[in-house]
Amino acid sequence: MPTETSRIRDLVLPLLETELPPIVQLGHPALRQPALPYDGQLNPGELSAFIALMRRVMHAAPGVGLAAPQLGIPLQIAVLEDRFDADPEISDIRERHPLPFFTVINPVYTPLGTETAEFFEGCLSFNGYQGVVPRYRFVSLKYTDASGASGEQNFQGWQARIVQHETDHLHGTVYVDKVLTRSLCSNGEYLRRWASPSTDEARRTLGF
Ligand code: ZN
């Protein structure tokens, strides 16, 4: 068995015995290294159990996406699901609509056009903060699904934001690398002052 494969299995198999493993935080090396393409390091039962585990952790957090490096596993696997029931004004301005659960393996996104959108986002691996990140408004995503089939799908707005955030995790990039630094807010200040659908007032006051 190749060394890389046994190293991955040594990391994943103990996690499968746990109900809710911790989400690793900024400073953990797995968040800063390119993850390995998934090429069968786990057997099908282990892969399904790992995906189910990632989904549990994402729901419990709660979050709208989770990438394997956030559990300390350097594999290109992420889960995405947005069940957040946004009020109509927020859905409208942020283009936030429900995203059914799906798994992406070895995903690659390509911007469709150059248009970007700037909104606050946070990361379960950088607890306690939110910041404004410019993201492509439209992207195309190529990936392999949990059954091993190839998929390609276009995403817009908030869904495109989630796709970019989670795919970036698989390449060692965290949103703080792309954030407009002057927009960084503690969750408390964000909720108190800047949770309105548009970022205009935050932009003027904080100067980003
Ligand atoms: Zn994240």
Side-chain angles (χ1 to χ4, degrees):
M1 185 178 284
T3 319
E4 275 304 341
T5 298
S6 56
R7 186 172 73 91
I8 292 292
R9 297 175 61 81
D10 286 349
L11 291 170
V12 173
L13 299 189
L15 278 190
L16 298 183
E17 305 298 318
T18 65
E19 182 60 28
L20 277 180
I23 296 173
V24 305
Q25 296 296 304
L26 219 53
H28 191 294
L31 294 173
R32 290 316 201 168
Q33 290 155 1
L36 298 167
Y38 174 76
D39 62 4
Q41 293 94 336
L42 306 174
N43 72 38
E46 292 162 354
L47 178 63
S48 308
F50 183 57
I51 289 167
L53 174 71
M54 291 180 66
R55 189 179 190 184
R56 274 202 308 278
V57 172
M58 172 177 71
H59 285 169
V64 294
L66 190 79
Q70 296 185 273
L71 295 180
I73 305 299
L75 273 183
Q76 290 185 24
I77 303 175
V79 293
L80 304 87
E81 181 176 21
D82 189 359
R83 304 188 294 184
F84 178 76
D85 199 11
D87 79 47
E89 194 191 0
I90 291 182
S91 313
D92 200 39
I93 292 180
R94 298 184 187 171
E95 296 189 287
R96 185 167 184 172
H97 307 291
L99 178 65
F101 176 81
F102 71 116
T103 303
V104 294
I105 297 174
N106 306 335
V108 177
Y109 68 78
T110 310
L112 298 172
T114 54
E115 196 179 340
T116 56
E118 297 185 355
F119 291 108
F120 280 97
E121 65 182 69
C123 179
L124 298 173
S125 292
F126 185 45
N127 258 336
Y129 288 87
Q130 310 262 325
V132 171
V133 183
R135 296 281 189 191
Y136 292 110
R137 188 170 165 221
F138 303 97
V139 297
S140 160
L141 185 74
K142 283 188 177 164
Y143 60 97
T144 300
D145 72 14
S147 72
S150 302
E152 184 168 2
Q153 208 178 324
N154 294 345
F155 295 92
Q156 173 175 348
W158 206 263
Q159 298 184 349
R161 177 170 297 271
I162 298 169
V163 160
Q164 290 167 80
H165 180 119
E166 299 311 327
T167 305
D168 283 355
H169 268 305
L170 304 179
H171 301 282
T173 296
V174 181
Y175 87 86
V176 289
D177 303 337
K178 297 182 169 178
V179 75
L180 304 177
T181 48
R182 294 184 64 99
S183 73
L184 272 173
C185 295
S186 74
N187 281 346
E189 292 295 344
Y190 171 77
L191 290 170
R192 188 173 305 126
R193 303 173 193 280
W194 310 124
S196 60
S198 152
T199 56
D200 292 349
E201 200 190 338
R203 188 181 303 277
R204 278 193 300 274
T205 309
L206 302 177
F208 59 86

